């Protein structure tokens, strides 16, 4: 099977499995797991922050950040196709008692500009409204097709938010993809944000885990919330050993995933009935519209599955994500398979 459903499907490399098998461990709830501590120190260093924390998943990392930054009744400004809004099961309302204020970015990239955030702000002492307690950003933007936000753009939002005493959290599940695409560092790209979550278990290829980075004070509070939410793991060094390899080694090969995604997009864009601007594909996510084929995405995905290709479809679009388990040959075979299915349709 050529599995393009997500970069979450990656399996740990041999080096990761070997490191996991021999990892030095301790009880991380006591802060005594040396491998976890090494991973946290390295993440803090790479992101140029005071501290970092390992958490089981990206969802938990985002939810802890929202909890630490806000109080119940606050409003959180967020792009309306972001993961926190669409795919975290209303957790921000359940856990933090906040309202998410979904705000549409009119830019194709899906990245909100300050001019779009400003009208959504609630600041001051309006007795009726709920106050803006946080702004959440996402880089790369998954549902907008892995699009990237520059450091300048991100800093502009952070500076203006901070001038109103509003913190900014970045869902950087794929921040390393964004940094590679923009030829910069994750430190540079996230400097203005008060907290960042990034995933070890997506394009970086670790089996489990995400990390939060921020100030020591933020991370101390985040550690307490991780425990409350049941995320205090014991000999987590077994997982952190794979995480260390993901952090140190995997960013070097993301360029390959991006080149594969671009080639996939170029091939797909040539197929009748598919609408896709391949120039907009700069990381590892390809989203294309199939309405003009007269077929539903679910139907096309079922046909693809029968021919050995897995993809995700919803509304009028299909998403394909490249990762370390996808080769150039897989990409070419996928393009041929989509072409075959849609050509057969036209006969
Ligand atoms: N994204 C998954 C699905 O949940 C949609 C995927 O296949 O892309 N932030 C962003 C931007 C994400 O894309 C995801 C996962 C998460 C957070 C959550 O990470 P996990 O799955 O580790 O909780």
């Amino acid at each position: 099977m050529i599995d393009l459903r997500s970069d979450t499907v990656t399996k740990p490399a041999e080096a990761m499995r070997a490191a996991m098998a021999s990892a030095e461990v301790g009880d991380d709830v006591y802060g005594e797991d040396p491998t976890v501590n090494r991973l946290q120190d390295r993440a803090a260093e790479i992101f140029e922050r005071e501290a970092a924390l390992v958490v089981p998943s990206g969802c938990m990392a985002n939810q802890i950040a929202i909890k630490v930054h806000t109080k119940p009744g606050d409003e959180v400004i967020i792009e309306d196709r972001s993961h926190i809004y669409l795919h975290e099961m209303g957790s921000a309302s359940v856990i933090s008692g906040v309202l998410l204020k979904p705000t549409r970015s009119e830019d194709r990239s899906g990245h909100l500009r300050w001019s779009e955030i400003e009208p959504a702000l609630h600041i001051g002492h309006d007795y009726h409204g709920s106050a803006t307690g946080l702004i959440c950003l996402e880089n790369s933007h998954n549902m907008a097709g892995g699009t990237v936000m520059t450091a300048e753009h991100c800093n502009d939002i952070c500076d203006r938010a901070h001038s109103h005493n509003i913190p900014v959290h970045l869902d950087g599940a794929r921040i390393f993809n964004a940094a590679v695409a923009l030829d910069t560092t994750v430190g540079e790209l996230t400097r203005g944000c008060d907290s960042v979550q990034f995933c070890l278990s997506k394009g970086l290829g670790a089996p489990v885990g995400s990390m939060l980075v921020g100030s020591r004070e933020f991370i101390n509070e985040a550690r307490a919330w991780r425990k409350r939410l049941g995320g205090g793991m014991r000999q987590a060094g077994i997982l952190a050993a794979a995480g260390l390899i993901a952090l140190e080694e995997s960013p070097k090969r993301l360029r390959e995933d991006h080149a594969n995604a671009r080639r996939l997009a170029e091939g797909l864009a040539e197929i009748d009935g598919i609408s896709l601007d391949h120039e907009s594909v700069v990381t590892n996510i390809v989203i294309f519209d199939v309405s003009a084929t007269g077929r539903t995405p679910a139907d096309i995905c079922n046909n693809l599955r029968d021919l050995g290709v897995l993809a995700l479809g919803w509304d009028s679009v299909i998403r394909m994500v490249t990762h370390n388990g996808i080769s150039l040959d897989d990409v070419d075979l996928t393009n041929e398979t989509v072409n075959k299915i849609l050509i057969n349709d036209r006969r």
Side-chain angles (χ1 to χ4, degrees):
M1 278 292 189
I2 299 173
D3 194 345
L4 293 157
R5 286 172 301 169
S6 183
D7 46 10
T8 59
V9 303
T10 49
K11 305 216 170 84
E14 273 316 311
M16 284 185 187
R17 290 177 189 269
M20 292 169 83
S22 61
E24 218 188 322
V25 295
D27 190 331
D28 182 47
V29 171
Y30 295 128
E32 287 174 4
D33 188 303
T35 312
V36 168
N37 292 341
R38 261 202 300 142
L39 174 59
Q40 290 175 166
D41 289 348
R42 245 338 248 146
E45 195 176 12
I46 289 170
F47 280 80
E48 302 165 34
R49 297 297 170 131
E50 285 175 8
L53 184 73
V54 179
V55 293
S57 69
C59 288
M60 190 188 278
N62 283 332
Q63 294 309 322
I64 289 173
I66 293 170
K67 183 72 210 173
V68 173
H69 287 306
T70 62
K71 55 184 188 320
D74 278 354
E75 228 168 43
V76 176
I77 297 177
I78 189 150
E79 212 278 324
D80 76 353
R81 286 159 292 173
S82 63
H83 195 274
I84 291 173
Y85 178 56
L86 287 183
H87 295 125
E88 298 191 12
M89 306 170 74
S91 304
S93 309
V94 177
I95 297 166
S96 301
V98 295
L99 286 112
L100 292 180
K101 190 174 177 74
T103 306
R104 184 74 176 189
S105 159
E106 290 310 329
D107 195 273
R108 200 180 50 179
S109 72
H111 297 294
L112 287 168
R113 301 240 158 227
W114 184 257
S115 56
E116 293 165 318
I117 293 174
E118 198 170 27
L121 291 173
H122 278 155
I123 31 188
H125 295 287
D126 173 2
Y127 199 54
H128 303 282
S130 54
T132 305
L134 179 66
I135 295 167
C136 288
L137 305 174
E138 187 176 305
N139 197 14
S140 66
H141 193 312
N142 183 354
M143 288 297 139
T147 53
V148 296
M149 173 172 39
T150 63
E152 193 188 6
H153 181 161
C154 186
N155 285 336
D156 179 58
I157 292 175
C158 295
D159 288 347
R160 291 169 194 260
H162 293 158
S163 73
H164 294 289
N165 290 323
I166 298 170
V168 178
H169 168 67
L170 177 70
D171 178 351
R174 298 181 178 85
I175 194 66
F176 283 92
N177 295 87
V180 165
L182 290 164
D183 213 6
T184 184
T185 63
V186 289
E188 184 72 31
L189 208 44
T190 62
R191 188 154 293 145
C193 303
D194 298 271
S195 56
V196 183
Q197 90 84 8
F198 71 95
C199 296
L200 296 162
S201 65
K202 298 197 167 57
L204 301 188
V208 180
S210 281
M211 300 197 76
L212 272 168
V213 296
S215 67
R216 197 165 303 287
E217 192 187 349
F218 170 82
I219 292 296
N220 283 343
E221 273 199 63
R223 184 176 293 108
W225 275 103
R226 182 187 66 175
K227 185 76 168 72
R228 284 192 186 97
L229 295 174
M233 297 181 288
R234 301 294 178 174
Q235 284 70 39
I238 301 269
L239 299 174
L244 267 165
I245 294 178
L247 189 60
E248 301 288 2
E249 302 302 327
S250 301
K252 297 175 198 156
R253 55 155 311 285
L254 293 179
R255 220 171 276 284
E256 199 183 312
D257 295 346
H258 298 178
N260 283 344
R262 180 59 89 95
R263 185 175 172 115
L264 179 65
E266 283 165 358
L268 291 168
E270 283 176 9
I271 300 174
D272 261 4
I274 287 182
S275 167
L276 166 63
D277 171 11
H278 63 83
E279 296 287 337
S280 68
V281 175
V282 294
T283 60
N284 65 331
I285 300 179
V286 182
I287 298 182
F288 52 98
D289 192 287
V290 294
S291 355
T293 64
R295 304 263 308 269
T296 65
D299 206 25
I300 296 173
C301 287
N302 285 341
N303 270 195
L304 282 171
R305 167 177 272 119
D306 293 341
L307 297 175
V309 176
L310 297 176
L312 284 183
W314 68 90
D315 297 342
S316 63
V317 298
I318 292 178
R319 183 185 78 161
M320 294 182 173
V321 185
T322 57
H323 51 78
N324 68 13
I326 300 296
S327 66
L328 199 57
D329 284 350
D330 293 334
V331 165
D332 290 342
L333 193 55
T334 301
N335 279 334
E336 276 170 37
T337 311
V338 177
N339 206 7
K340 200 181 329 171
I341 290 173
L342 296 180
I343 283 177
N344 278 344
D345 265 11
R346 290 193 289 276
R347 284 205 179 120

